[in-house]
Amino acid sequence: MKLHLVAALAAAVSVVAPSRAATCESLSSLSLPDTSITLAQSVGAGQLTLPGRNVAEVPSAPVALKDLPAFCRVAATLKPTSDSDIKIEVWLPASGWNGNFEAVGNGGWAGVISYGAMAEALHDGYVTASTDTGHVGGRGTFALDHPEKLTDFGYRAVHEMTLKAKAIAEAFYRSAPRLSYWNGCSTGGRQGLKEAQRFPADYDGIVAGAAANPRTRLSSWQIWLSQGVLPPENYIPASKYPVIHKAVLDACDAADGLKDGLIADPTRCNFDPKTIECKSGDAPTCLTAGQVAAAQRMYTAPKNSRTGEPVYFNVEPGSELGWAMLARGPEPFSAATDQFRYVVFKDPKWDWHSFNLDNDVALADKIDNDTINASDPNLKAFLAHGGKLLLYHGWADPGVPPLASVNYYKTTVDTMGGEAKMADSIRLFMVPGMGHCGGGEGPNTFDMMTAMVDWREHGKTPERIVASHITAGKVDRTRPLCAYPQVAKYKGSGSVDQAENFVCEVSR
Ligand SMILES: [Ca+2]
């Protein structure tokens, strides 16, 4: 009788036992190092309104995330140091988990969780996670007198989030994620590189777009640029950006073999703004001598005046319509001044006019000491376990110079044994006509995560990734993005708006 009862109970349990080990709500009592779980809540399918993503420097308005599948929402605060205050969220599909983890990156100085990107990953069936990088708000002010918080922003918040998200997934499903992916752009690109370099076991595949990197050099360039383009005698009103852009296209669009409004490789475009200098005075259709100088500075990489050593890169011809991002004024891009005010000089009153390229870059590098910068080209440990690195960057990026990604790609590939040896480990896709992580006139809608999954899980090395250009919700052009150094070349017949009429080939 007793035995029968036990057997019956066991049978009942085995029938009603959920397929996963824990309920969502029970995760609130999960014990993890340095972690307080502040929310563990089942969320039904539908809409959820949450703070927006902090893409550049200002947190955006709340976003309504639509058509979310049902999921378990976990929020936690991590304190790896006594001064740390790292907020993370981990979202776990209630059903249909694809078995993998996709973490999403941040923008600018972060200070906000990337809910929109989390929603996309959740849609695709992933467990996903994001962190606010250890402080609230999109400015660098938090760093003043908080070196541990700066380290959290630099790399620790992402690493800690990664460990905890994997542990939470394992507790929820009784099964750890099989593969882990990173997907980020801008600061998120830099975060991805940092993970590959510093915590090579965290991820199996890393998608790193337009990495804002090395950050000390990026900020130095942005301030140096401002010193040349913001003085009133040089200032270019936004109404003239299209004038310069048209002149650039007139000079360089057709030179790549196809007049399509895009410059396939802007580094081969030698446009001199002096060609549109006003004959005398000023007019809406030409540039004054000061404006010519400002435009030339946009296209010029800064160099140390004593050593001649290049400090960083420049925006490329074709980026003109986005120049307001750095050249609008009256102040430089605040992400850059914040770095010098709150990290380098630790003086909120520091005046950007006093920035000295020759001295202050070296000081910024020294103070950073590999905290935010992610320059290490040694990816041996990451690649040793099959890690794949997929880089991309818009050629018309007006905020982070595209050659920063080309440079990291080349340096890393050279360090790791050359292009042939690295062809199945590191790939770079440059995107003609795309702005900073999106936007611009070129085909700018593509799916790097699917390319990554095909690569990492199905052995299909990405050679060409089809990008779409969408106007008013309709695709009006498709074009292949090609693995660097290849570019898309028109076959010579068929619509120039259809990807199948292009081949990827090296043009130099
Ligand atoms: Ca062209």
Side-chain angles (χ1 to χ4, degrees):
M1 172 87 182
K2 219 172 182 181
L3 271 175
H4 281 147
L5 183 61
V6 170
L9 272 174
V13 166
S14 74
V15 169
V16 299
S19 57
R20 52 179 185 259
T23 64
C24 182
E25 281 67 21
S26 75
L27 293 174
S28 60
S29 56
L30 184 65
S31 176
L32 296 170
D34 310 319
T35 304
S36 311
I37 298 203
T38 52
L39 178 81
Q41 188 177 59
S42 297
V43 178
Q47 180 171 313
L48 190 62
T49 300
L50 291 163
R53 187 178 179 205
N54 175 20
V55 174
E57 48 183 328
V58 182
S60 63
V63 287
L65 306 171
K66 293 196 174 98
D67 304 323
L68 289 177
F71 67 104
C72 171
R73 182 183 178 194
V74 177
T77 302
L78 315 182
K79 289 188 179 293
T81 75
S82 58
D83 195 36
S84 291
D85 183 23
I86 301 166
K87 301 286 195 288
I88 68 167
E89 290 215 14
V90 183
W91 292 1
L92 310 110
S95 63
W97 181 39
N98 67 15
N100 297 331
F101 170 47
E102 179 189 339
V104 297
N106 300 92
W109 280 107
V112 65
I113 285 171
S114 303
Y115 292 113
M118 291 182 79
E120 288 179 37
L122 189 71
H123 266 293
D124 292 342
Y126 291 93
V127 167
T128 184
S130 171
T131 172
D132 70 353
T133 70
H135 62 272
V136 173
R139 297 293 301 271
T141 43
F142 75 91
L144 192 64
D145 301 324
H146 289 281
E148 296 294 357
K149 280 190 163 64
L150 187 67
T151 300
D152 288 341
F153 172 78
Y155 58 84
R156 192 164 45 208
V158 165
H159 175 59
E160 291 292 326
M161 172 197 83
T162 303
L163 298 181
K164 270 59 179 189
K166 290 182 182 181
I168 288 167
E170 184 164 7
F172 187 54
Y173 300 110
R174 185 77 82 192
S175 166
R178 279 181 286 121
L179 293 167
S180 297
Y181 296 106
W182 176 266
N183 187 9
C185 195
S186 194
T187 285
R190 182 196 63 77
Q191 291 167 323
L193 299 184
K194 202 72 174 164
E195 280 288 309
Q197 297 160 10
R198 200 167 186 123
F199 305 102
D202 280 1
Y203 291 95
D204 301 290
I206 291 176
V207 177
N213 188 53
R215 182 71 180 262
T216 55
R217 303 303 182 99
L218 173 64
S219 293
S220 296
W221 164 71
Q222 288 173 341
I223 292 174
W224 171 87
L225 187 70
S226 299
Q227 288 180 327
V229 304
L230 295 185
E233 66 275 21
N234 291 359
Y235 187 80
I236 303 173
S239 60
K240 288 193 182 182
Y241 297 159
V243 174
I244 311 171
H245 186 58
K246 183 180 179 301
V248 167
L249 289 179
D250 287 348
C252 297
D253 179 359
D256 59 20
L258 181 66
K259 200 164 165 23
D260 59 349
L262 301 173
I263 302 169
D265 180 359
T267 62
R268 307 177 103 197
C269 172
N270 296 308
F271 169 73
D272 186 352
K274 210 162 170 55
T275 56
I276 52 167
E277 186 171 353
C278 302
K279 302 273 183 286
S280 63
D282 192 2
T285 54
C286 57
L287 302 180
T288 65
Q291 290 165 354
V292 167
Q296 286 170 334
R297 197 171 179 107
M298 296 295 292
Y299 301 128
T300 303
K303 289 192 170 97
N304 183 299
S305 71
R306 288 193 310 262
T307 64
E309 186 203 345
V311 168
Y312 203 52
F313 307 98
N314 47 273
V315 297
E316 297 295 333
S319 63
E320 299 76 20
L321 297 181
W323 280 6
M325 187 170 177
L326 298 184
R328 177 181 46 214
E331 297 284 310
F333 198 55
S334 73
T337 40
D338 280 2
Q339 183 159 14
F340 281 91
R341 280 185 186 143
Y342 304 113
V343 178
V344 179
F345 292 110
K346 300 173 177 64
D347 172 10
K349 294 200 172 74
W350 177 78
D351 179 359
W352 59 273
H353 295 92
S354 71
F355 176 76
N356 179 298
L357 189 72
D358 290 355
N359 302 328
D360 296 344
V361 173
L363 179 65
D365 284 349
K366 185 168 168 239
I367 286 171
D368 183 71
N369 191 26
D370 201 30
T371 302
I372 304 178
N373 287 355
S375 310
D376 188 352
N378 180 356
L379 300 186
K380 206 171 164 189
F382 175 67
L383 302 182
H385 66 80
K388 310 287 190 196
L389 178 62
L390 206 170
L391 307 163
Y392 68 91
H393 207 131
W395 271 126
D397 191 325
V400 177
L403 285 182
S405 286
V406 173
N407 182 64
Y408 184 75
Y409 168 80
K410 282 184 171 172
T411 309
T412 304
V413 162
D414 286 352
T415 303
M416 299 305 300
E419 208 159 80
K421 195 176 165 204
M422 284 297 106
D424 191 36
S425 297
I426 308 173
R427 290 257 146 159
L428 166 64
F429 290 84
M430 299 304 290
V431 189
M434 186 176 84
H436 186 56
C437 298
E441 298 173 302
N444 52 21
T445 300
F446 44 78
D447 184 355
M448 289 292 162
M449 269 304 292
T450 294
M452 170 57 79
V453 167
D454 284 346
W455 192 9
R456 183 62 183 76
E457 297 179 36
H458 309 301
K460 195 170 163 248
T461 307
E463 300 288 349
R464 56 187 270 157
I465 295 169
V466 174
S468 302
H469 183 268
I470 299 169
T471 303
K474 283 189 83 171
V475 173
D476 52 13
R477 172 175 274 178
T478 61
R479 188 66 66 85
L481 309 176
C482 301
Y484 185 89
Q486 297 193 322
V487 296
K489 186 142 193 283
Y490 182 51
K491 286 177 181 172
S493 62
S495 168
V496 302
D497 295 326
Q498 290 180 332
E500 65 260 33
N501 298 323
F502 288 78
V503 290
C504 288
E505 62 178 44
V506 178
S507 70
R508 53 187 85 210

